[in-house]
Amino acid sequence: MGRLLGFLLCFSSFFISATFADWNILDQRTKSGLKISLKSYCEGWRINVELHNIQGFAVVPEECVSYIGKYVTSIQYKVDSERTIEECRLYLSTSCPLKKDGKDAWLFDIDDTLLSTVPYFKKHHFGGEKLNLTLLEGWMSRGKAPALEHSLKFFDELKSMGVQIFLVSSRREHLRSATTDNLVDVGYHGWTRLILRGPDDELNEVQQYKANVRKQLISNGYRIWGIVGDQYSSFEGLPSVRRSFKLPNPFYYVS
C-alpha cells in the first residue's frame, strides 16, 4: 500500500510539473481563436488597466514586467501623456468660460501626474513587486522625482490664465516639506494649495478622501473645471466635476 501511494504521489507530481512546463503564453489563443503573443497579451493587460476593466491589482503580472518597464521608459509613454494634456488644452479652450474671479479651479494629483515615480519603480521591478509604502515614502522624502514635462507646461498655462490650482495627493502629511521642495526644484510654483492626507483622512480610502476635498472646495465657491490624475480614485465619487483626464499608469493601483 505504501509503495502504491508513493508511486501515485510521484506520478501526480510529474504530471503537474509537465502540465505547467507545457503551458506557455506564446502557445495560447483567445476564446475566439486568436493567437496570443507575449507582447499582445501584455498590451491587452495594460490597456484594460487604463480602461479600468482591471482593478485592484497588487502587482504587474510577472510575464509582463519587462514589457511594462519598456513602455514607461519609451517614447510611446511620453506621447500618450502628451496626448492627454493636449485634450486638456482643447477642452479648456473650447468648453470652459472662465470668469476670472478667483474661483476658477483645476485639480492635479502629484505622483505620476506632476512628478514621476518611474525612477523608483525602475529599481523595484516596474510594479512586479508588491508596493512597500515605507520604501516608497523614503524615496519620496529625498525629493528627487523628476517633473512630467507636459504636465508642467499645462500647469504654467493654467496659472497664466488665473486659474486656481489645487494639488490633491494621497501622500501623507509628513511628506509636505519634501513634496514642496521637490515640486519647486523641478519648476512648479504658484499653486493655490497643496492638500495631503492627514491622520483623519487615512481612515478613508483615497477615493473618498479626494471626493471630500472636492466637496469642500465646491462648498467654498470654487468651480472645478477639470482634474488631471493617473488613478481613477482621483475622479470617482461625488461630487463629480465637469471633466477628468487620466494619464497612463500601468504599474500600480490606488483605490
Side-chain angles (χ1 to χ4, degrees), residues 134-163:
T134 300
L135 291 179
L136 178 59
E137 288 191 335
W139 180 82
M140 290 174 174
S141 69
R142 293 192 286 275
K144 300 299 182 182
L148 289 168
E149 293 300 325
H150 302 302
S151 296
L152 176 56
K153 291 176 183 177
F154 183 57
F155 177 101
D156 287 338
E157 291 166 13
L158 286 169
K159 190 172 59 175
S160 71
M161 299 170 72
V163 175

Side-chain angles (χ1 to χ4, degrees), residues 110-111 133 136-143 169-182 194 196-197:
I110 292 180
D111 293 304
L133 184 59
L136 178 59
E137 288 191 335
W139 180 82
M140 290 174 174
S141 69
R142 293 192 286 275
S169 174
S170 60
R171 289 190 179 199
R172 296 193 289 177
E173 185 61 41
H174 70 87
L175 289 167
R176 178 172 294 276
S177 179
T179 301
T180 301
D181 290 345
N182 195 164
L194 169 61
L196 305 179
R197 294 177 81 185

Side-chain angles (χ1 to χ4, degrees), residues 200-211:
D200 291 342
D201 299 317
E202 293 182 38
L203 299 175
N204 296 319
E205 290 188 340
V206 171
Q207 179 258 312
Q208 186 59 56
Y209 149 68
K210 293 193 173 186

